[in-house]
């Protein structure tokens, strides 16, 4: 399978919570990252978690890290239409080409009224 | 402080033509990267640089060349464009190894 996997789509109603999941095969990352990409724009760092933490909260964002299961999730509380974007998880993964920042395929979040 | 800028924003090439994409950063970052983004495949690293005068291959380097003659600039070249190189290209930079990467706005390239 892929080194970093995400589901491709998520649709939620405005005001609900969104949970975006990510699994990875291996990681030597000091940090694991969540990036947000709005239409026609580059990626912007949304939040990150230190690899020895299991949770980080930042306003409406909660990141959960389960190192045993190699699972990372991003929860957005009170999701707004402005949160509609593609969300990428990323971490430094040991691949055949060395230790590189590897991105998941991205999850497109659609927020409906 | 402009961050990371890329030129051009859009380009259409015919098969076999060449072009150079320019990336510039004003944050004095040592590390710079070129990625391509294709639907359903996330971002894939083409080449990267760990400092002025250095370059290294990433995950998908074939058909591309790069140069880092100045610390603030990282150039990506396509010598003979192919339709498979139709993609959105992103440049990024970071201060340190495993540091936060800052991304440019992207260049949308179409090869016909």
């Amino acid at each position: 399978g892929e080194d970093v996997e995400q589901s491709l789509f998520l649709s939620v109603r405005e005001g609900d919570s969104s949970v975006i999941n990510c699994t990875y095969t291996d990681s030597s990352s000091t940090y694991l990252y969540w990036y947000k990409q709005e239409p026609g724009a580059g990626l912007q760092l949304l939040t990150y978690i230190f690899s020895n933490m299991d949770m980080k909260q930042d306003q409406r964002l909660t990141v959960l890290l389960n190192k045993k299961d190699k699972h990372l999730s991003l929860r957005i509380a009170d999701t707004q239409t402005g949160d509609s974007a593609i969300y990428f998880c990323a971490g430094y993964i040991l691949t055949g080409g060395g230790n590189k920042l590897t991105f998941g395929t991205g999850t497109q979040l659609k927020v409906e009224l | 402080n402009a961050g990371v800028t890329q030129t051009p924003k859009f380009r259409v090439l015919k098969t076999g033509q060449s072009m150079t994409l320019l990336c510039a950063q004003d944050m004095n970052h040592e590390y710079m990267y070129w990625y391509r983004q294709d639907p359903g495949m996330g971002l894939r690293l083409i080449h990267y640089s760990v400092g002025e005068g250095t370059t290294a291959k990433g995950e998908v380097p074939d058909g591309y060349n790069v140069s880092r003659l100045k610390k603030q600039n990282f150039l990506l070249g396509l010598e003979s464009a192919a339709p498979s190189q139709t993609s959105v290209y992103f440049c990024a930079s970071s201060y340190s190894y495993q540091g936060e990467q800052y991304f440019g706005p992207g260049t949308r390239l179409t090869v016909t």
Side-chain angles (χ1 to χ4, degrees), chain A residues 30 33 37 45 99-100, chain B residues 37 48 90 97-98 100-101:
Chain A
T30 302
Y33 303 92
Q37 184 181 30
L45 183 67
N99 195 15
K100 303 291 185 292
Chain B
Q37 183 180 27
Y48 65 100
F90 288 101
Y97 175 66
Q98 295 206 19
E100 175 187 350
Q101 292 191 16

Side-chain angles (χ1 to χ4, degrees), chain B residues 21-101:
Chain B
L21 282 68
L22 171 64
C23 175
Q25 53 95 2
D26 61 2
M27 296 174 283
N28 201 34
H29 285 171
E30 290 292 337
Y31 296 74
M32 296 187 75
Y33 314 83
W34 276 108
Y35 294 91
R36 59 177 289 172
Q37 183 180 27
D38 302 294
M41 299 190 74
L43 274 75
R44 292 182 291 169
L45 182 65
I46 304 171
H47 286 280
Y48 65 100
S49 168
V50 301
E52 181 179 318
T54 74
T55 63
K57 293 181 180 180
E59 183 185 353
V60 288
D62 294 342
Y64 305 95
N65 56 75
V66 286
S67 64
R68 183 104 182 264
L69 298 179
K70 292 183 179 181
K71 187 177 182 179
Q72 63 266 36
N73 296 336
F74 195 28
L75 278 63
L76 178 72
L78 286 74
E79 289 188 349
S80 179
S84 61
Q85 294 177 304
T86 293
S87 187
V88 181
Y89 292 86
F90 288 101
C91 176
S93 70
S94 65
Y95 178 73
S96 62
Y97 175 66
Q98 295 206 19
E100 175 187 350
Q101 292 191 16

